[in-house]
Amino acid sequence: MTDSKNTNAETSPQETPSVHDKTIINKMRTLIAALKTHNNAYYVLDNPILEDSEYDQLRLSLIKIEEQYPDLVQPDSPINTVGDIPLSAFTQVTHDIPMLSLGNVFEYDDLRDFMRRVNDRLSDAQKNPEYEVELKLDGLAVSLKYQHGKFIQAVTRGDGQTGEDITQNTKTIRNLPLYLIDAADIELLEVRGEVLMPKAGFERLNRLAEEKEEKTFANPRNAAAGSLRQLDPAVAASRPLAFYAYSVNQGLPERIDTQSDALAWLGDIGFSVSAVRVVKNPRETQEYYESVIEKRAKLPFEIDGTVIKVNNLALQQQLGYLSREPRWATAYKFPAETVMTRLHSIEWQVGRTGAITPVGKLEPVKVGGVTVSNVTLHNFGEIQRLDVRAGDMVSVHRAGDVIPKISRVWHDQRPADSQPAVLPENCPVCDSPVILPEDEALARCTGGLFCPAQQQEALIHFVSRRAMDIDGLGERWLISFFEQGLVKTVADIYQLHNHQEQMITFEKMGEKSVQNIIKAIEASKHTTLSRFIYALGIRGVGEGTAQNFTQQFGDLERLMTADIETLIQTPDVGTITAELAYEFFRAPHNIEVINALLAAGVYWDKVEKKSSSHLPLDGQTWVITGALSSMARDEAKAKLQALGAKVSGSISAKTTALLAGEKAGSKMAKAEKLGVKVVGEDEFLGMVGE
Ligand code: IVH
């Protein structure tokens, strides 16, 4: 590229472009190069790289710069040449009337601006004209010619001036009329419309291609394009295409003076036309647009918006054209579901369970009609899988009401100075060490009870029935107390009696409820060691493990000071749980909270160590399957473990028994096959003495 490409050199104040102009030109060149690559991939190779919406976005970026700097518009800019590059295999045909494109609007305000611009060009008597709204069919524009009612030629849009003769292939489209009804006296009729592949046919075609291990099409539009360009009309004939007419460009009977009547007439003479609605103002247009969005998924073909046209044909003529677009029509496109934006930074958040998750902070963009500025990156592994860094351009996808996701990272546009993301060593909220347990995707904060991000979860768990069982201090109250700063850590629960006056001020809280809560808290002080261990909410330590720890260590002090090797000696405790427990008891904040709980008067009876050899199920391995009616699976598991059994997830020849609830499936079959004893729920309840 040379600087002389600056098309409007005379109007430019400087002979050589300023640094600023150079920057703008560079930006334009980059966008032009990208658009050219994508045009080629889409139209020539039938193998698009970008989503349509991403392509539109690239195009829109260039349009915006060109509008801002008209002097710098590059002569080879693809903005003013619509469409595709003709393939040489088909005869080139010049259109009698150029096939133009449509402007776009994306939201209600733009739609009103469009209608305002129309009004600005009309006399007072003509203002606020009627509009006609059609579906914007997502296929390929085609011009058809009929001589005295007989089909003679079909031409693709091509570059808008010249297209390809696809008459032979078009003849195979089943709903395309080869002879028109009552049109013999029209010498030349030119009808334009869209060739598309209905969704069902597209799916069938791709299924067949998959079976034959052939290339599948990315979307119905590409499948339609590929089919029309088939050099072998026999292959084209096997493709399920359809044609929908949307305009009459030559030969319209004079008595017809509106677009809606023209389409009705096209229907009468044998064409398929898609839904049409006549509207009077922006509001009605918007309502119809919204109703189309609702129906979109149920339509037999893909659409990407609606097209709004001034209904009166004489007014259309009067309004005329602006460069390559009519002033009398615009496309009201559906919100893009995939858009490109920049990922500014990757931040780390701590979830209620202590999971440290990366969150991408985006340059805000509208995706699917909603502004998106954050995107979840799930875990550190996902960052590595996507190979994404702060500063990267990314494609963000949001289908329906699904949470936005990064669907693609544009590595070729990566800033030279970008750095790979690193997992933080300390929790961003409480500064406790972060660990990434082996074989786990999620990194975790070891702050546990002390970490503010985890406190709510910890509180709810602590008071739950199977933990400290503080009945009467419901979850809702607990959260309110937390939000108002009355409780932060679980130890603060035992200080609530000092805040009774404040508690009464809470809405719907009377003196009586306060008394009940205080009583329940008081009653919970007498507990068991295994409940207490479970209540601490150590990751990986469920009821069963808490019971096993109790049996193994007999008192809290010994458990808290045990090293990893010792912790692993506990039945059913693996490396991950041992590490998590070890870290938990090393965090000074957790020790502080435990000490505060003990100081507040939480206590338990001395643990009677059952010698494991006396446990009835010692040495046995059990598996649980199906739905149990009297208890949760976790409860059953805890009961089995308390009796000395190991509980495993899968059946093998070593399994002692299968506890089977309702709807036991494949495990039941496997147990029977291996001759493993099957125990029903009733039998099990009898066994555990309930
Ligand atoms: S009217 C002068 N009506 O959209 C404008 N176009 O983005 C003539 N399209 O090239 C176009 N459905 O391929 C019109 N109901 C409809 C349409 C429609 C789809 C396509 C057509 C056109 C493109 C412009």
Side-chain angles (χ1 to χ4, degrees), residues 591-604:
I591 296 170
E592 225 170 85
V593 170
I594 292 170
N595 287 338
L597 286 168
L598 300 178
V602 173
Y603 72 103
W604 48 87

Side-chain angles (χ1 to χ4, degrees), residues 192-461:
R192 291 183 182 173
E194 204 82 350
V195 171
L196 51 81
M197 188 175 288
K199 291 177 198 166
F202 166 72
E203 271 152 28
R204 193 165 3 103
L205 184 68
N206 264 357
R207 244 195 339 267
L208 283 174
E210 258 169 33
E211 279 167 20
K212 291 195 228 150
E213 295 188 355
E214 288 169 0
K215 205 183 104 189
T216 54
F217 289 104
N219 54 47
R221 187 190 155 126
N222 287 306
S227 306
L228 275 186
R229 288 212 179 76
Q230 268 296 327
L231 289 172
D232 179 357
V235 176
S238 69
R239 302 285 171 84
L241 296 176
F243 175 81
Y244 287 86
Y246 57 63
S247 70
V248 182
N249 294 64
Q250 298 185 67
L252 183 71
E254 265 178 32
R255 63 186 153 84
I256 296 175
D257 58 4
T258 62
Q259 168 71 9
S260 48
D261 285 349
L263 291 195
W265 176 72
L266 283 173
D268 291 343
I269 62 174
F271 287 98
S272 299
V273 278
S274 80
V276 168
R277 170 76 61 100
V278 175
V279 293
K280 292 205 169 55
N281 52 44
R283 199 181 37 77
E284 279 183 25
T285 316
Q286 178 71 15
E287 274 167 17
Y288 183 59
Y289 168 81
E290 283 168 14
S291 75
V292 171
I293 290 186
E294 302 258 305
K295 279 183 246 150
R296 181 180 184 184
K298 293 200 194 92
L299 290 173
F301 41 69
E302 299 268 8
I303 57 171
D304 57 349
T306 59
V307 180
I308 294 145
K309 302 176 179 175
V310 168
N311 200 20
N312 185 292
L313 298 176
L315 279 188
Q316 285 188 2
Q317 268 217 304
Q318 182 186 324
L319 285 158
Y321 296 83
L322 172 82
S323 105
R324 297 266 169 169
E325 296 162 11
R327 285 204 187 86
W328 47 265
T330 193
Y332 191 176
K333 299 255 271 197
F334 294 141
E337 287 179 339
T338 304
V339 292
M340 276 164 83
T341 190
R342 194 170 297 283
L343 176 72
H344 282 312
S345 60
I346 296 174
E347 289 181 8
W348 298 88
Q349 287 186 353
V350 196
R352 294 206 308 167
T353 61
I356 308 265
T357 47
V359 176
K361 297 284 171 180
L362 302 169
E363 174 66 40
V365 268
K366 278 214 154 177
V367 195
V370 176
T371 303
V372 172
S373 41
N374 289 330
V375 65
T376 171
L377 286 161
H378 303 292
N379 54 51
F380 191 58
E382 175 79 352
I383 295 184
Q384 290 171 321
R385 189 185 67 76
L386 286 167
D387 180 18
V388 66
R389 297 180 179 185
D392 278 341
M393 284 302 290
V394 293
S395 286
V396 179
H397 179 77
R398 180 182 173 279
D401 45 16
V402 179
I403 313 160
K405 269 183 70 172
I406 291 184
S407 52
R408 183 172 185 151
V409 180
W410 297 91
H411 293 121
D412 53 347
Q413 296 183 43
R414 171 167 285 172
D417 58 350
S418 78
Q419 296 294 326
V422 281
L423 187 67
E425 284 177 16
N426 295 85
C427 170
V429 174
C430 74
D431 209 36
S432 303
V434 166
I435 54 161
L436 181 61
E438 224 178 295
D439 299 333
E440 278 199 26
L442 281 180
R444 293 195 178 277
C445 162
T446 52
L449 300 187
F450 181 78
C451 179
Q454 297 172 64
Q455 280 165 356
Q456 258 192 51
E457 172 86 354
L459 287 166
I460 293 168
H461 173 76

Side-chain angles (χ1 to χ4, degrees), residues 100-102 134-137 139-141 157 194 246 307 309 321 326 328:
L100 303 181
S101 188
L102 284 172
E134 297 167 21
L135 302 180
K136 187 166 189 310
L137 308 163
L140 294 110
R157 182 173 68 176
E194 204 82 350
Y246 57 63
V307 180
K309 302 176 179 175
Y321 296 83
W328 47 265

Side-chain angles (χ1 to χ4, degrees), residues 124-138:
D124 284 352
Q126 293 170 327
K127 280 195 200 309
N128 301 318
E130 202 173 70
Y131 288 89
E132 181 253 13
V133 190
E134 297 167 21
L135 302 180
K136 187 166 189 310
L137 308 163
D138 200 6

